[in-house]
Amino acid sequence: MASARWPCLILALLSGVAVSGFPRRLCRLLGKRSLPEGVVDGIEVYSTKVHCKVTSRFAHNVVTTGAVNHADTAKEVSFDVELPKTAFITNFTLTIDGVTYPGNVKEKEVAKKQYEKAVSQGKTAGLVKASGRKLEKFTVSVNVAAGSKVTFELAYEELLKRHNGKYEMYLKVQPKQLVKHFEITADIFEPQGIRTLDAEASFITNDLLSSALTKSFSGKKGHVSFKPSLDQQRSCPTCMDSLLKGDFIITYDMNRESPANVQIVNGYFVHFFAPQGLPVVPKNVIFVIDVSGSMHGRKMEQTKDALLKILEDVKEDDYLNFILFSGGVTTWKDTLVQATPENIQEARKFVMNIRDQGMTNINDALLRGISMLNKAREEYRVPERSTSIVIMLTDGDANVGESRPEKIQENVRNAIDGKFPLYNLGFGNNLNYNFLERMALENHGLARRIYEDSDANLQLQGFYEEVANPLLTDVEVEYPKNAILDLTRNSYQHFYDGSEIVVAGRLAAEDMNSFKADVKGHGAINDLTFTEEVDVKEMEKALKERDYIFGNYIERLWAYLTIEQLLERRKNAHGEEKENLTAQALDLSLKYHFVTPLTSMVVTKPEDNENKTAIADKPGEGPVDAEVIPSMAYLSEYVPAATERGPVPSPSGVFPESALWDRQMVGGSEEMRGSVGLRALGSRKGRGMNRTLGGGPGPSPACLFSSALSPFASTANSRPPQTPYYVDGDPHFIIQVPEKDDAICFNIDEDPGTVLRLIQDPVTGLTVNGQIIGEERSSLDSQTRKTYFGKLGIANAQMDFQIEVTPETITLWHGAAQSTFSWLDTVMVTQDGLSVTINRKKNMVVSFGDGVTFVVVLHQVWKKQPIHHDFLGFYVVDSHRMSAQTHGLLGQFFHPFDFKVSDVHPGSDPTKPDATMVVKNHRLTVTRGSQKDYRKDVSVGTNVACWFVHNNGQGLIDGVHSDYIVPNLF
């Protein structure tokens, strides 16, 4: 049976030199070289050490590399480490000639601001990128002066997961040259006692490995050391290049005299549960297989090979069926059938005759399979003590029938209703992996990517082996009431043989003497309860005496597991729930110094006599449409700090002295090439924004925007004057007149639901409309009812582009392509002539070229406020490129106009004098007052003094206010 390999501890050691023009591999003979051993182009990497310290499955890993520059000039030295995607970086330091430059973990947005400030005049570096199936590559390089030494040190942590009955540390070893002191050590401490420990290397013969490797274990401690000498590192006896290039794998498991083990240190506990020897629960499996045209060729052949192998391993007590989907849905049998030898033989013939054809109807296929499982259970066609599983394999997105991911997700959730898990296997990269993952997670399953490679059939078989042997169902881990705080996930639909359940938490009372835990589940024959009871004081005393383990490992394990599960839960959360999950995960990430999808590590390094800053982010799984949340990623283009037209506006609407967008890996795809095109960055939803545009790879039809240039060709905006026009509040229109150093304001009183034309420019094609909302309860005096703008529509007819903004969502259309964002997101969408930036729970900035910029401000009221709605404010930051034909309630004031105020005298309110205003050949009575500008501070605002024009602006606006009522937003 195939064994899937898992990245329990994956390191690729590329501790070497990045010197321009120098080859990566050297095959010069020893007799011909003139440099000392291990020196390449003047750089000697004299030491590379990896120290892995594992305590109760929690791994703390430190990678250290030292180099010295023997050359007469400065050289660039690079440090590359490949680490597991499941790991969190915790620290990085760079030491040059005794001076240490540390890395600091910060909230993503804070890190980004520090990053932009530090590198606004120099080059940038994104430090972490996805690398292959299981890895992320950490890379940093630095110039080292002649004769100087540099030391790099990277630390990261992860919880090792048990798969197929073992824990695996998989190290990718690849130094770029001979290293005098090369060493990998692993110290393992497991309180249950170590049962097996092994190590192997793919790049070296067993004879050579045995001479460089030592391994031992006794009781609770295990040790592995790999120290090849210079001669053992050579690819041949007379070569200068290294043979250390491949996989170094450490595997172990522990004694399991008891199915459970509880450990308590410093008020935190971890509970491991992995029973053995239980009979396997019979399973009812529906295989839902994509046979659309895109599966043609090797993918289909590999799928059939895997299914044939799986059929060999299906147990006779199991029930199964196959559902094939393309444009339609076909089934092998009308109902589930038992896996008798006769039925298995018939199933093999069915699988061998599978052919690819047509489109992709995911919705109907899944619903057919779920219905079949539900019906089999209801009609008692399957054993009472059996469990059901749906496994779907697809290589693309739904494109026939119900094709909306959110609707498919809803249909599947309602059909399964929590009764059994769904496992989604995504074949290749040309699919919406995040959709598959979200759908699996909310149905108690998981998603797995199957990589298009020669071993794809083995990947499929390996996944099936993980779920082939359920030992328990409906597992609940219970603790005494009110005794535990901050508990991680403690219920699991299935426990599979060879895996492990891990629960962690905090003790409510420091003086607790005993700790009891019950694990309850349904077995193949009967219901089971496993009880574990420990003496808290004795346990803590015993563990504290172990000076070779890091003392707060259980607390850090709890934090790691809590963050991991919070991030998983937020993938299907919305609104306030998602906001709370994000806040919890962010707080823990910062407290424990973890680089997670919510944080970044800022690394300052010396460069040309000044410090430069680089940033390390956590890449996401999936293609470019993966969520990178909640903060900004960086565009693959360097934007000059300033142009002759002026600087570029920042996402917050503030215009800094310089702006920089860094090249950055987004969502685990390869780095984007070219500097022209559009990418949606940050958290994003919808199908319209899942590809690169213009310069990046990937098909364009699915994109929100095409790569064609817009009528607004420049992205460098002139610095606009102070905002002259906006509408905010009840709704208050403010027209600032810089020439007068004064302002005019007016209200529009209309019924909720009314849509008003704010801006219309027939030349540029721009229009902005706003829909009025009212208070939730009408007041007794209808004259005092307050109204606001609850929806805005911004459109550019020439670009075929629309934005609908509400207090909940922002929806963008380019033609028929649509993408929807939340105000909980921070995201930027940009291309030549267009920029849309959403700043989380604050504002949205829309810029068309170098002369039109709008800002939409979000106002959120107290949640328990019984009357008021959340509402929007609209600000025109720059309008100088709009035509002279622009009109609308705001647009008409983009053109110069004059007014005079005289006869200022007391009004009905002693604090607000009245006056006479002459404007547009009208003589009006106006009142002095003030309104708020909320661009800089949405909660308090800034007072703006103005002359208030009564009666819906009559006499100030052209015509009457009802002339500006339009039927809809667009």
Side-chain angles (χ1 to χ4, degrees):
M1 295 176 61
S3 175
R5 297 195 174 190
W6 292 91
C8 296
L9 182 59
I10 310 168
L11 297 173
L13 306 175
L14 307 172
S15 317
V17 189
V19 180
S20 176
F22 196 80
R24 287 183 175 269
R25 291 185 59 80
L26 304 171
C27 290
R28 295 177 295 170
L29 298 180
L30 288 173
K32 296 182 179 180
R33 70 180 187 271
S34 58
L35 292 172
E37 286 188 322
V39 177
V40 177
D41 199 39
I43 298 294
E44 178 191 6
V45 179
Y46 59 84
S47 174
T48 291
K49 296 183 178 181
V50 183
H51 187 203
C52 312
K53 185 182 293 186
V54 183
T55 302
S56 296
R57 295 78 150 169
F58 194 63
H60 175 79
N61 311 295
V62 180
V63 186
T64 307
T65 288
V68 59
N69 182 8
H70 292 292
D72 297 329
T73 59
K75 297 287 183 179
E76 186 178 62
V77 179
S78 68
F79 172 74
D80 301 337
V81 175
E82 292 189 52
L83 63 152
K85 290 180 179 178
T86 54
F88 293 155
I89 292 173
T90 60
N91 194 33
F92 174 74
T93 58
L94 175 66
T95 303
I96 299 179
D97 289 338
V99 180
T100 298
Y101 301 86
N104 294 304
V105 176
K106 299 177 180 290
E107 183 179 357
K108 250 185 171 52
E109 189 64 23
V110 174
K112 174 180 173 290
K113 291 177 180 178
Q114 179 176 344
Y115 173 79
E116 290 178 334
K117 179 180 178 182
V119 300
S120 59
Q121 297 180 350
K123 70 177 185 178
T124 66
L127 298 186
V128 184
K129 302 176 182 179
S131 176
R133 300 179 184 180
K134 309 171 185 178
L135 308 177
E136 294 168 355
K137 180 184 287 188
F138 177 94
T139 302
V140 68
S141 60
V142 64
N143 281 328
V144 179
S148 293
K149 288 186 177 182
V150 59
T151 301
F152 304 90
E153 183 175 284
L154 176 72
Y156 67 90
E157 295 176 348
E158 67 162 335
L159 176 64
L160 305 184
K161 307 292 175 64
R162 188 169 184 252
H163 295 281
N164 298 321
K166 64 182 179 181
Y167 305 92
E168 184 175 278
M169 291 177 276
Y170 170 61
L171 289 72
K172 193 78 171 178
V173 178
Q174 190 180 345
K176 296 175 184 175
Q177 63 190 84
L178 301 177
V179 180
K180 185 176 181 180
H181 299 290
F182 183 93
E183 180 180 3
I184 298 173
T185 59
D187 291 303
I188 304 169
F189 172 73
E190 291 292 350
Q192 289 172 265
I194 297 174
R195 182 174 63 88
T196 62
L197 175 64
D198 200 4
E200 61 182 69
S202 66
F203 50 83
I204 195 171
T205 65
N206 288 335
D207 290 341
L208 287 175
L209 179 64
S210 61
S211 63
L213 175 72
T214 60
K215 59 182 180 179
S216 63
F217 67 94
S218 176
K220 302 176 181 179
K221 297 173 65 175
H223 178 78
V224 175
S225 176
F226 177 60
K227 296 182 182 179
S229 66
L230 282 174
D231 286 338
Q232 289 172 328
Q233 295 176 42
R234 301 185 199 281
S235 60
C236 72
T238 57
C239 290
M240 281 290 291
D241 60 331
S242 174
L243 60 72
L244 303 185
K245 185 177 182 180
D247 304 334
F248 185 82
I249 302 167
I250 301 172
T251 57
Y252 77 93
D253 198 14
M254 65 274 302
N255 297 317
R256 299 190 184 275
E257 297 174 358
S258 168
N261 177 254
V262 175
Q263 298 166 38
I264 304 170
V265 174
N266 299 332
Y268 287 84
F269 80 91
V270 60
H271 181 187
F272 300 103
F273 177 74
Q276 296 186 120
L278 297 177
V280 175
V281 177
K283 59 186 181 297
N284 317 306
V285 187
I286 295 284
F287 295 94
V288 182
I289 308 298
D290 185 348
V291 295
S292 62
S294 58
M295 287 286 289
H296 177 74
R298 186 168 76 160
K299 283 193 287 188
M300 181 57 69
E301 292 306 312
Q302 290 176 320
T303 299
K304 291 161 67 173
D305 288 345
L307 291 176
L308 290 172
K309 183 64 173 66
I310 287 169
L311 284 172
E312 295 178 11
D313 297 332
V314 173
K315 296 173 176 60
E316 191 167 349
D317 289 338
D318 293 341
Y319 284 69
L320 78 157
N321 204 345
F322 293 98
I323 293 180
L324 311 181
F325 67 94
S326 52
V329 177
T330 60
T331 63
W332 171 45
K333 299 288 186 180
D334 292 335
T335 62
L336 284 136
V337 297
Q338 189 173 354
T340 62
E342 297 77 16
N343 284 336
I344 291 296
Q345 185 59 32
E346 188 178 345
R348 288 178 59 83
K349 293 178 181 179
F350 176 81
V351 169
M352 287 188 285
N353 288 321
I354 292 175
R355 299 291 182 268
D356 55 89
Q357 59 179 348
M359 307 286 279
T360 308
N361 191 340
I362 292 176
N363 183 76
D364 290 356
L366 281 174
L367 294 184
R368 178 81 62 87
I370 295 165
S371 174
M372 192 176 292
L373 284 172
N374 287 333
K375 188 174 181 180
R377 180 69 73 184
E378 292 166 1
E379 297 178 353
Y380 303 101
R381 294 178 179 269
V382 295
E384 181 181 357
R385 281 193 175 270
S386 63
T387 187
S388 299
I389 298 173
V390 178
I391 300 175
M392 181 182 72
L393 171 70
T394 182
D395 75 333
D397 296 340
N399 53 24
V400 68
E402 179 55 72
S403 60
R404 295 169 294 175
E406 64 280 0
K407 187 61 178 177
I408 297 173
Q409 195 172 336
E410 178 186 346
N411 292 343
V412 170
R413 179 178 64 248
N414 291 337
I416 292 180
D417 195 27
K419 292 188 288 291
F420 46 81
L422 166 66
Y423 296 103
N424 289 329
L425 307 180
F427 205 147
N429 290 307
N430 190 28
L431 46 75
N432 187 344
Y433 183 85
N434 286 339
F435 158 61
L436 297 180
E437 183 177 44
R438 287 193 297 268
M439 184 163 58
L441 287 175
E442 74 172 351
N443 290 290
H444 306 290
L446 56 84
R448 179 74 50 76
R449 189 183 296 282
I450 304 300
Y451 292 86
E452 293 187 57
D453 211 335
S454 59
D455 68 340
N457 55 337
L458 297 179
Q459 296 176 56
L460 289 166
Q461 293 169 39
F463 172 79
Y464 178 76
E465 287 170 10
E466 291 181 55
V467 300
N469 298 304
L471 301 184
L472 293 171
T473 63
D474 298 325
V475 181
E476 294 286 339
V477 187
E478 299 177 352
Y479 304 96
K481 190 176 181 181
N482 301 323
I484 303 301
L485 301 173
D486 302 326
L487 191 67
T488 61
R489 179 184 173 189
N490 66 325
S491 62
Y492 293 82
Q493 201 155 46
H494 285 145
F495 170 76
Y496 295 106
D497 191 22
S499 67
E500 184 173 56
I501 288 175
V502 183
V503 181
R506 204 157 52 86
L507 303 185
E510 295 182 1
D511 57 351
M512 185 181 295
N513 294 319
S514 63
F515 181 95
K516 181 183 177 183
D518 291 325
V519 182
K520 299 179 179 180
H522 304 302
I525 301 172
N526 47 29
D527 295 344
L528 301 169
T529 298
F530 302 86
T531 299
E532 186 78 4
E533 198 160 2
V534 298
D535 186 300
V536 175
K537 301 303 180 184
E538 288 297 319
M539 169 71 68
E540 288 197 330
K541 182 180 178 181
L543 290 176
K544 284 181 178 179
E545 290 173 354
R546 313 291 184 180
D547 56 3
Y548 49 83
I549 65 174
F550 48 111
N552 64 340
Y553 76 97
I554 291 183
E555 181 179 350
R556 295 190 66 81
L557 185 157
W558 165 81
Y560 173 97
L561 198 58
T562 301
I563 294 169
E564 186 179 61
Q565 293 176 2
L566 288 170
L567 293 174
E568 186 176 279
R569 287 167 55 197
R570 72 188 296 278
K571 290 177 181 177
N572 276 307
H574 303 281
E576 188 172 351
E577 180 190 3
K578 185 173 184 177
E579 183 180 355
N580 291 336
L581 293 171
T582 300
Q584 293 175 56
L586 175 60
D587 288 345
L588 287 174
S589 299
L590 293 173
K591 179 178 179 180
Y592 291 95
H593 215 251
F594 286 141
V595 176
T596 71
L598 306 180
T599 55
S600 298
M601 178 172 286
V602 178
V603 180
T604 302
K605 60 177 183 175
E607 192 85 21
D608 299 331
N609 299 320
E610 58 179 307
N611 289 342
K612 297 293 181 183
T613 298
I615 202 163
D617 281 331
K618 181 79 173 168
E621 175 58 64
V624 179
D625 63 344
E627 290 191 48
V628 182
I629 40 186
S631 300
M632 302 285 289
Y634 308 100
L635 286 179
S636 59
E637 179 179 2
Y638 172 76
V639 180
T643 68
E644 59 184 357
R645 297 188 184 185
V648 180
S650 76
S652 64
V654 179
F655 289 75
E657 293 304 316
S658 62
L660 181 72
W661 292 336
D662 174 41
R663 174 172 293 175
Q664 171 73 18
M665 180 63 59
V666 178
S669 86
E670 293 298 325
E671 185 176 38
M672 303 305 168
R673 304 295 180 187
S675 59
V676 178
L678 164 73
R679 185 183 307 159
L681 300 176
S683 174
R684 48 195 181 268
K685 306 174 192 169
R687 302 187 60 201
M689 309 192 67
N690 60 352
R691 297 289 188 272
T692 58
L693 305 182
S700 60
C703 300
L704 177 61
F705 301 99
S706 70
S707 58
L709 297 180
S710 76
F712 305 91
S714 174
T715 57
N717 290 4
S718 301
R719 185 183 295 273
Q722 183 180 7
T723 303
Y725 326 106
Y726 63 94
V727 55
D728 209 337
D730 182 22
H732 306 297
F733 289 78
I734 316 294
I735 313 301
Q736 293 186 344
V737 185
E739 297 83 1
K740 294 283 190 178
D741 193 24
D742 208 342
I744 302 175
C745 49
F746 61 94
N747 289 357
I748 296 294
D749 296 319
E750 269 296 340
D751 292 331
T754 302
V755 180
L756 298 174
R757 174 63 49 80
L758 305 181
I759 299 172
Q760 183 178 33
D761 183 357
V763 175
T764 63
L766 280 170
T767 61
V768 180
N769 297 329
Q771 185 177 58
I772 291 175
I773 59 173
E775 294 172 339
E776 298 221 13
R777 290 205 306 262
S778 299
S779 59
L780 295 175
D781 181 2
S782 61
Q783 298 298 315
T784 64
R785 182 182 63 184
K786 294 182 179 298
T787 56
Y788 310 89
F789 277 117
K791 188 179 290 186
L792 293 169
I794 303 171
N796 186 315
Q798 295 182 12
M799 299 176 68
D800 196 13
F801 170 74
Q802 296 176 341
I803 310 176
E804 181 181 286
V805 189
T806 73
E808 292 79 34
T809 60
I810 300 99
T811 305
L812 288 73
W813 288 272
H814 188 262
Q818 173 184 334
S819 189
T820 301
F821 302 89
S822 155
W823 279 104
L824 296 177
D825 301 324
T826 295
V827 66
M828 175 184 286
V829 181
T830 185
Q831 76 176 99
D832 285 341
L834 172 67
S835 172
V836 179
T837 301
I838 303 166
N839 294 291
R840 185 175 184 269
K841 297 177 66 174
K842 292 180 181 178
N843 57 47
M844 180 187 76
V845 183
V846 183
S847 295
F848 296 92
D850 61 350
V852 179
T853 300
F854 307 137
V855 176
V856 178
V857 173
L858 173 66
H859 293 272
Q860 292 183 306
V861 301
W862 182 43
K863 296 298 182 186
K864 296 183 180 180
Q865 165 61 249
I867 297 177
H868 300 301
H869 284 286
D870 294 348
F871 62 95
L872 305 170
F874 178 76
Y875 294 74
V876 181
V877 177
D878 187 10
S879 62
H880 78 269
R881 284 300 182 94
M882 300 193 74
S883 77
Q885 299 179 41
T886 304
H887 209 262
L889 283 170
L890 285 176
Q892 63 186 287
F893 298 104
F894 294 175
H895 323 302
F897 73 99
D898 193 18
F899 69 90
K900 293 182 180 180
V901 175
S902 60
D903 188 26
V904 178
H905 57 275
S908 57
D909 184 339
T911 64
K912 299 178 179 179
D914 287 345
T916 298
M917 174 182 289
V918 177
V919 59
K920 294 185 178 181
N921 297 319
H922 294 103
R923 183 179 294 273
L924 310 174
T925 298
V926 295
T927 302
R928 193 62 171 174
S930 67
Q931 301 297 345
K932 294 280 191 177
D933 180 341
Y934 291 100
R935 282 175 302 148
K936 294 183 178 180
D937 187 341
V938 71
S939 60
V940 179
T942 303
N943 284 325
V944 177
C946 62
W947 291 105
F948 181 77
V949 178
H950 302 271
N951 301 320
N952 293 308
Q954 187 170 343
L956 172 66
I957 63 175
D958 297 337
V960 295
H961 81 278
S962 58
D963 296 338
Y964 300 88
I965 296 176
V966 293
N968 47 54
L969 276 182
F970 300 111

